[in-house]
C-alpha cells in the first residue's frame, strides 16, 4: 500500500474495548480486521501511529452510542477526519441478523470507503451539557410523578384518604406531613 493513500477505518466502540478494521482506498483492496484495542487515549494514540505508518490520510468512523462523542472530539483535535454515524442509518442486508464487533468494524470500514454512510451532527461540549441537563430534568420529573403515584397507591391500600380535592397543592402537602401510618414499618415506607 502506498504511503500516500487513504485508510478507511471502522471502529466498533464499547466501554472496555474497541474493534478496529481498515481498508485502503482502492476498491479491490481487502478490508482487514486489525483486532481490538483499549479505550484509553494512549490506546487510541498507539493505534493512530500504527495506522499512519500504513497510510498517509486516515478517515475513521464509528457508531453513535452510549460512549458519547469523546472519541470524535479527541481525533478531530488531532486533525484526523472522523465521522459518527447513526446505527439506524447504516445499510444492512436483509436477513443479516448476526452482529459481532468484528463484523461491525469491517462493515463500517467498507461502507465508509464506498461512500454509503452519512455522518450525524456532533454537538459541542456546551450543547451536549445542555442536552444532559434537559434529559436529567425530564427523568427527574418522570421519577417524581412515579413516586407520587406509588405514594397515592400506598395510602389507598392503608385506607388513608385526603379530605381535600386538589392533589399535591399546599393544603395536600400539609396533610401529607401529618399522616401517621398504622405500623412503624409502614411509616418508614411512607416517608421514603
Amino acid at each position: 500500500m502506498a504511503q500516500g493513500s487513504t485508510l478507511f477505518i471502522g471502529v466498533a466502540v464499547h466501554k472496555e474495548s474497541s474493534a478496529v478494521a481498515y481498508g485502503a482506498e482502492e476498491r479491490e483492496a481487502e478490508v482487514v480486521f486489525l483486532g481490538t484495542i483499549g479505550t484509553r487515549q494512549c490506546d487510541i494514540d498507539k493505534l493512530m501511529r500504527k495506522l499512519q505508518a500504513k497510510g498517509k490520510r486516515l478517515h475513521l468512523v464509528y457508531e453513535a452510542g452510549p460512549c458519547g462523542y469523546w472519541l470524535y472530539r479527541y481525533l478531530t483535535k488531532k486533525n484526523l477526519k472522523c465521522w459518527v454515524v447513526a446505527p439506524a442509518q447504516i445499510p444492512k442486508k436483509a436477513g443479516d441478523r448476526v452482529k459481532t464487533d468484528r463484523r461491525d468494524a469491517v462493515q463500517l470500514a467498507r461502507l465508509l470507503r464506498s461512500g454509503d454512510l452519512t455522518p450525524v451532527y456532533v454537538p459541542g461540549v456546551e450543547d451536549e451539557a445542555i442536552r444532559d441537563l434537559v434529559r436529567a430534568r425530564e427523568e427527574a420529573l418522570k421519577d417524581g410523578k412515579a413516586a407520587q403515584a406509588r405514594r397515592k397507591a400506598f395510602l389507598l391500600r392503608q385506607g388513608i384518604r385526603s379530605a381535600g380535592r386538589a392533589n399535591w397543592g399546599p393544603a395536600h402537602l400539609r396533610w401529607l406531613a401529618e399522616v401517621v401510618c398504622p405500623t412503624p414499618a409502614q411509616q418508614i415506607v411512607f416517608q421514603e
Side-chain angles (χ1 to χ4, degrees), residues 22-24 26-32 106 110 113:
Y22 69 92
E26 297 81 28
R27 296 239 183 241
E28 65 278 352
E30 186 66 31
V31 174
V32 178
V106 169
R110 191 173 287 129
R113 180 175 64 188

Short mmCIF file of all heavy atoms in Angstrom, two decimals, residues 22-24 26-32 106 110 113:
data_model
loop_
_atom_site.label_atom_id
_atom_site.label_comp_id
_atom_site.label_asym_id
_atom_site.label_seq_id
_atom_site.Cartn_x
_atom_site.Cartn_y
_atom_site.Cartn_z
N TYR A 22 -9.71 -1.83 8.87
CA TYR A 22 -9.35 -0.77 7.94
C TYR A 22 -9.26 -1.33 6.53
O TYR A 22 -9.04 -2.52 6.32
CB TYR A 22 -8.02 -0.10 8.32
CG TYR A 22 -6.82 -0.99 8.14
CD1 TYR A 22 -6.10 -0.98 6.95
CD2 TYR A 22 -6.40 -1.84 9.15
CE1 TYR A 22 -5.00 -1.80 6.78
CE2 TYR A 22 -5.31 -2.66 8.99
CZ TYR A 22 -4.61 -2.63 7.81
OH TYR A 22 -3.52 -3.45 7.62
N GLY A 23 -9.44 -0.43 5.58
CA GLY A 23 -9.30 -0.78 4.18
C GLY A 23 -8.68 0.39 3.43
O GLY A 23 -8.91 1.55 3.77
N ALA A 24 -7.90 0.07 2.42
CA ALA A 24 -7.28 1.10 1.59
C ALA A 24 -8.32 1.68 0.65
O ALA A 24 -9.40 1.12 0.46
CB ALA A 24 -6.12 0.51 0.80
N GLU A 26 -8.36 1.83 -2.54
CA GLU A 26 -8.60 1.05 -3.74
C GLU A 26 -9.76 0.10 -3.47
O GLU A 26 -9.76 -0.66 -2.51
CB GLU A 26 -7.35 0.23 -4.12
CG GLU A 26 -6.14 1.07 -4.48
CD GLU A 26 -5.38 1.58 -3.26
OE1 GLU A 26 -5.41 0.93 -2.20
OE2 GLU A 26 -4.78 2.67 -3.36
N ARG A 27 -10.75 0.11 -4.33
CA ARG A 27 -11.97 -0.68 -4.10
C ARG A 27 -11.71 -2.18 -4.00
O ARG A 27 -12.39 -2.89 -3.29
CB ARG A 27 -12.99 -0.42 -5.20
CG ARG A 27 -13.46 1.00 -5.23
CD ARG A 27 -14.95 1.06 -5.06
NE ARG A 27 -15.37 2.45 -5.16
CZ ARG A 27 -15.97 3.08 -4.19
NH1 ARG A 27 -16.23 2.49 -3.08
NH2 ARG A 27 -16.33 4.32 -4.34
N GLU A 28 -10.72 -2.67 -4.75
CA GLU A 28 -10.45 -4.10 -4.73
C GLU A 28 -9.65 -4.53 -3.50
O GLU A 28 -9.50 -5.72 -3.23
CB GLU A 28 -9.73 -4.54 -6.02
CG GLU A 28 -8.34 -3.97 -6.21
CD GLU A 28 -8.32 -2.55 -6.78
OE1 GLU A 28 -9.38 -2.04 -7.18
OE2 GLU A 28 -7.23 -1.97 -6.81
N ALA A 29 -9.14 -3.57 -2.74
CA ALA A 29 -8.35 -3.89 -1.55
C ALA A 29 -9.25 -4.51 -0.48
O ALA A 29 -10.39 -4.08 -0.27
CB ALA A 29 -7.67 -2.64 -1.00
N GLU A 30 -8.73 -5.50 0.17
CA GLU A 30 -9.47 -6.21 1.22
C GLU A 30 -9.55 -5.34 2.47
O GLU A 30 -8.61 -4.65 2.83
CB GLU A 30 -8.75 -7.52 1.54
CG GLU A 30 -9.47 -8.42 2.52
CD GLU A 30 -10.78 -8.95 1.96
OE1 GLU A 30 -10.88 -9.15 0.74
OE2 GLU A 30 -11.71 -9.17 2.76
N VAL A 31 -10.70 -5.40 3.15
CA VAL A 31 -10.83 -4.74 4.45
C VAL A 31 -10.28 -5.71 5.49
O VAL A 31 -10.68 -6.86 5.56
CB VAL A 31 -12.29 -4.37 4.77
CG1 VAL A 31 -12.41 -3.83 6.18
CG2 VAL A 31 -12.79 -3.35 3.76
N VAL A 32 -9.32 -5.23 6.27
CA VAL A 32 -8.59 -6.07 7.22
C VAL A 32 -9.05 -5.78 8.64
O VAL A 32 -9.13 -4.62 9.05
CB VAL A 32 -7.07 -5.80 7.11
CG1 VAL A 32 -6.29 -6.63 8.11
CG2 VAL A 32 -6.59 -6.04 5.70
N VAL A 106 -15.58 -4.14 10.35
CA VAL A 106 -15.31 -4.39 8.93
C VAL A 106 -16.38 -3.72 8.06
O VAL A 106 -16.07 -3.07 7.06
CB VAL A 106 -15.21 -5.91 8.65
CG1 VAL A 106 -15.21 -6.20 7.16
CG2 VAL A 106 -13.98 -6.49 9.33
N ARG A 110 -15.86 -0.73 5.29
CA ARG A 110 -16.27 -0.98 3.90
C ARG A 110 -17.28 0.08 3.43
O ARG A 110 -17.15 0.64 2.34
CB ARG A 110 -16.88 -2.38 3.80
CG ARG A 110 -17.11 -2.86 2.40
CD ARG A 110 -17.55 -4.31 2.36
NE ARG A 110 -16.42 -5.17 2.68
CZ ARG A 110 -16.43 -6.13 3.60
NH1 ARG A 110 -17.53 -6.38 4.29
NH2 ARG A 110 -15.36 -6.87 3.82
N ARG A 113 -15.64 3.56 2.97
CA ARG A 113 -14.86 3.61 1.72
C ARG A 113 -15.77 3.76 0.51
O ARG A 113 -15.47 4.49 -0.42
CB ARG A 113 -14.01 2.34 1.59
CG ARG A 113 -13.18 2.32 0.33
CD ARG A 113 -12.26 1.14 0.26
NE ARG A 113 -12.99 -0.11 0.20
CZ ARG A 113 -12.43 -1.30 0.29
NH1 ARG A 113 -11.13 -1.41 0.45
NH2 ARG A 113 -13.16 -2.40 0.23
#
